Amino acid sequence: MRPAVPATAGRVVPCHRMDAELLQQQIRLTRERLLALREQQVPLGAAAVPIITALIDELAGALQELQETEEELLAQNEALSAARLEAELERQRYRDLFELAPDGYIVTDADGTILETNRAAVELLGVPAESLIGQPIQQFVAREDRREVRRRFRRVVAGERMEEWTGRVAAPGRPPVPVAVTAAMVRTADAPVEFRWMLRDVTLRERAAESARGLIREHAARLEAESEARRAEFLANASRVLGGTLDPSAVVQGLVELAASLAEYAAVYLVEGGRPRLVGSAGHIQGERASPSDSAAVRRALQRAMETAAPQLIPARSRPPKDAAATDFVDAVREGIPRRGVVAPLVTRGEVIGALVLLAGKPRFQGRDILLAAELADRAALALDNARHYQAAQAASRAKSEFLGIISHELRTPLTTVIGYADLLLGGIPVELPELARTYVERIRLSAWHQQALVEQILSYRRLEEAKEPVTLEPVAIDAVVSEVATLIEPAATRAGLTFRVELPTRIAPIHTDRAKLRQILLNLLTNAVKYTERGQVTLSLRVEHGWALFEVRDTGIGIAPEHLEQVFEPFWQVDSADTRRAGGSGLGLSVARRLARLLRGDVHVRSELGAGSTFELRLPAT
């Protein structure tokens, strides 16, 4: 009788379709069947022996295969468990990194809805994590940046990457925080599409950038201040150089030297006969002197500056030169090599008197350079105008002095003759004159003497103007000089109905001075006092103190207004034309007196009050 064989005993289930439990069950059943056959020891026919033997062999092979498969599955299971453990550890590490990252990380879907966030993002936004999940990320962007975030996120959804866009995030009621935003689309197995956002707090970076910008502004301001200081120093030096001379040629030379420090070439033109003429230039290239008027561009700018009285910029040229070997600057300008320049007109009293031309070897002239050139030109124009007027005044003064000298010499000879003959007649030569005739001759002599004094005044003024007045220093007895002056002034004061007084110390030591000039100074001051005093008295006094001899001439005359106290010492100036006509005189007395006093290392000053008289003080060194 054939033993019952289970349906699965004659075939082996493929191991790739078995799970571990089924395989273990099949192995267990096979073992049980083999053991049963061995235990039964059923006698079999000759025909059944091969079948049973083959079946046993097949079962043994299947058993061996099943055992190997079991071992392989166990190994795979162990490997899978290890892989699952490693994956879990890796996921935990990622989660730790995600949570502990210093930058804020946010995961959103395609609509921008927040799916996940880390601790840094929570702290950055200042909102609890549970309040962030499910909220649109745009809600936490500063209002003024939301439109830009939406625009950029649409591009991220389209596949682009947002790299370090700087914006601001802020939870409601909290101040905005500057962040650098990076966003990208990521595909995963769990979620087909995710969008990961990295928010980096750039507050410190913004502060550092602002600090850097502040340093840059401070540096720029310092450079600007230094530039302004250099500019002011240059202009101050220019004023000293140009204003330090009254010679027009020296002014031009100084201007050329100053301008040459601003550019490769400098030239000065002055208008003569209605046309500009080159009067000075400086600058060179490889030893070649510049002739800027040879350039058509310079001539055009020069003409425009003359016509408009405004600075003109000579533009850079980009046309290549005809001769690449040309090195002379003017040739280069003429041939169109890029150069720049400026023409600043010299304008004074609304008239263009010339121009300053600056040419640079590279296109460097800007608005500030033009202003500097214009200011230099203004100072030069003023200095030239002053020098020209001074030269004209000097020429007029020389002509006046020559005229006065000629007239004075022509008058002095006949006046000397008149005085000489009057002295002879008063001396009884050739006959003794009757009393009435003596009175007339005395008046003639007095008038002639007065006119001769005026002539001497004019001649002294001329010598002082020409710096030809000699000084002879010697010990001078003051009382003797005062006596001479008093002898001449007292008759004039008496005729004017005035009292003349002299107040001198009991003992007077001689002073070291020029006797003739001291006599003339006192005579001029006393004559002026008598001339402008209608009633009262004129007093001459002296005191010596602190090494100075102080002479005072006091009167009770008309006085001088405060605004005229210094003008009375100007040549040919008198207080009032009516007084001038009444008192007469040339208007040189006080001017000559002060100049002579200063020539003697002293001075003359005045104190006065209208209607209360004047006091003129002469100070001279006593030793």
Side-chain angles (χ1 to χ4, degrees), residues 107-122:
V107 179
T108 71
D109 60 14
D111 295 327
T113 301
I114 297 175
L115 305 175
E116 190 176 1
T117 181
N118 72 341
R119 184 184 306 170
V122 169

Side-chain angles (χ1 to χ4, degrees), residues 165-461:
W165 172 74
T166 302
R168 294 186 300 170
V169 296
R174 290 176 61 90
V177 178
V179 293
V181 181
T182 298
M185 179 173 62
V186 179
R187 298 182 181 276
T188 65
D190 298 334
V193 178
E194 284 183 351
F195 295 89
R196 295 182 180 177
W197 304 67
M198 183 181 74
L199 310 179
R200 176 168 296 167
D201 188 347
V202 293
T203 301
L204 295 179
R205 189 174 76 182
E206 287 292 313
R207 290 176 183 172
E210 181 59 31
S211 178
R213 286 192 292 269
L215 291 175
I216 292 173
R217 288 193 296 269
E218 182 180 347
H219 181 65
R222 184 165 58 252
L223 292 179
E224 178 70 17
E226 291 174 356
S227 175
E228 284 299 316
R230 289 192 299 270
R231 178 174 175 273
E233 182 179 1
F234 173 80
L235 291 175
N237 181 57
S239 296
R240 287 192 298 269
V241 171
L242 299 175
T245 178
L246 290 172
D247 181 4
S249 60
V251 172
V252 170
Q253 182 61 32
L255 176 59
V256 168
E257 293 175 358
L258 288 165
S261 66
L262 301 178
E264 282 76 4
Y265 287 90
V268 177
Y269 291 81
L270 293 181
V271 176
E272 295 182 4
R275 299 176 62 84
R277 185 177 71 86
L278 181 64
V279 294
S281 63
H284 62 279
I285 289 181
Q286 295 182 357
E288 297 293 333
R289 295 294 298 175
S291 299
S293 58
D294 292 343
S295 168
V298 173
R299 288 198 302 272
R300 287 193 298 269
L302 185 61
Q303 184 64 31
R304 287 196 300 271
M306 293 291 185
E307 293 173 352
T308 62
Q312 299 295 321
L313 184 67
I314 303 173
R317 300 286 183 177
S318 58
R319 182 170 58 85
K322 296 178 183 178
D323 182 7
T327 57
D328 179 74
F329 177 79
V330 176
D331 290 342
V333 172
R334 188 186 303 113
E335 295 298 333
I337 294 176
R339 296 290 189 268
R340 269 195 179 184
V342 62
V343 179
L346 306 177
V347 183
T348 179
R349 304 176 190 270
E351 178 185 1
V352 179
I353 62 172
L356 171 64
V357 177
L358 300 177
L359 301 176
K362 56 184 178 180
R364 71 175 188 183
F365 279 105
Q366 304 297 329
R368 182 173 299 179
D369 303 312
I370 297 174
L371 290 177
L372 182 59
E375 290 195 27
L376 178 60
D378 289 343
R379 283 166 169 76
L382 179 61
L384 278 172
D385 187 56
N386 291 338
R388 286 179 171 181
H389 281 81
Y390 176 77
Q391 294 292 325
Q394 287 292 95
S397 179
R398 285 193 298 271
K400 176 192 66 180
S401 295
E402 291 174 2
F403 173 75
L404 291 176
I406 292 172
I407 294 299
S408 298
H409 282 292
E410 291 298 323
L411 290 175
R412 186 164 58 175
T413 300
L415 287 173
T416 302
T417 302
V418 170
I419 293 172
Y421 279 110
D423 288 339
L424 290 175
L425 290 173
L426 292 174
I429 301 174
V431 295
E432 193 71 29
L433 295 177
E435 190 63 32
L436 183 58
R438 289 181 63 85
T439 302
Y440 292 157
V441 173
E442 182 65 36
R443 290 180 179 177
I444 292 172
R445 181 181 179 279
L446 183 61
S447 296
W449 177 85
H450 179 67
Q451 292 300 319
Q452 190 180 46
L454 292 178
V455 169
E456 290 297 333
Q457 199 87 274
I458 293 172
L459 291 175
S460 294
Y461 172 75

